[in-house]
Amino acid sequence: MVPVNELEHPAREAIVLEDVLFALSDPVRLDLVRQLRESSLTAASCTTLDPSVPKSTKSHMFKVLREAGVIRNVPEGRNRRLSLRRDDLDARFPGLLDAVL
Amino acid sequence: MVPVNELEHPAREAIVLEDVLFALSDPVRLDLVRQLRESSLTAASCTTLDPSVPKSTKSHMFKVLREAGVIRNVPEGRNRRLSLRRDDLDARFPGLLDAVL
DNA sequence: ACCATAGTTCGATAATACTTGAACAATTGG
DNA sequence: CCAATTGTTCAAGTATTATCGAACTATGGT
């Protein structure tokens, strides 16, 4: 069993454009990414998702973005810190984030 | 009088970013769009799709791209001419196509 | 150690999207 | 006008994604 603590993130070179585009093609996920443009967030303080959305649903959204290489999701105490992988995305697909966000 | 076989295309202002991203998130569709970057194509001469793919499947792919506002699909004799809506996309989402193609 | 908190994972169901054959529409050539 | 050509549309089946409750994991506070 893999520790549930540290989640898998694709390396910069392994980020696939199609996966990024798909991850960003959902309005709610895109909205979250736009929030992360300013600064990182803890999952708990993520206000793009109204409180009525179950945490399992939120977690799934984070997963799609994380597995596509769009965001980083690292443990921080009892919380999770979500941050945009701007450096990696800018290096791999220059101009993409600027165009989308 | 407008021919009946004219298909619906969203106006420039009506093009939705999420729809564009979704349309481009499929490898085959993205490949087609990259081909259209150079010049327009007739559907028949579209070589991104191997001949084993049924025409209904191809047609559906064109539809997704057309309804997202990514390509134009206009009748040309017995054929269809497919072209990238570069002007509209550049105007609406500057830098996006450059980053993606 | 215990308990509450914050999130992930699992499993099942619902909602979307894809694929394809068959029917239909429009055009060209004879 | 008729038949061949080129694509679109329809409908049914398949596959992929999304949603969400419940179970589970890890951490921090008391």
Side-chain angles (χ1 to χ4, degrees), chain B residues 42-58:
Chain B
T42 58
S45 67
C46 173
T47 60
T48 46
L49 311 166
D50 56 280
S52 66
V53 176
K55 56 185 182 174
S56 57
T57 305
K58 295 181 185 179

Side-chain angles (χ1 to χ4, degrees), chain A residues 4 9-11 14-15 20-21 23 33 42 44-45 56-57 71 87 91-92 100:
Chain A
V4 84
H9 293 74
I15 298 179
V20 173
L21 296 176
V33 170
T42 58
S45 66
S56 56
T57 303
I71 68 171
D87 292 349
R92 191 126 173 77
V100 166

Side-chain angles (χ1 to χ4, degrees), chain B residues 20-87:
Chain B
V20 173
L21 297 176
F22 180 81
L24 297 177
S25 71
D26 176 70
V28 182
R29 289 195 298 253
L30 181 58
D31 208 44
L32 172 60
V33 170
R34 283 182 168 139
Q35 261 206 352
L36 292 177
R37 180 191 181 190
E38 303 299 327
S39 64
S40 64
L41 284 177
T42 58
S45 67
C46 173
T47 60
T48 46
L49 311 166
D50 56 280
S52 66
V53 176
K55 56 185 182 174
S56 57
T57 305
K58 295 181 185 179
S59 185
H60 177 258
M61 188 170 55
F62 302 150
K63 183 182 184 184
V64 173
L65 287 165
R66 171 179 54 83
E67 291 182 335
V70 177
I71 68 171
R72 219 178 284 280
N73 180 350
V74 298
E76 186 180 72
R78 237 177 323 198
N79 296 353
R80 290 278 167 177
R81 178 145 299 269
L82 307 175
S83 57
L84 184 59
R85 293 182 65 176
R86 178 169 268 287
D87 292 350

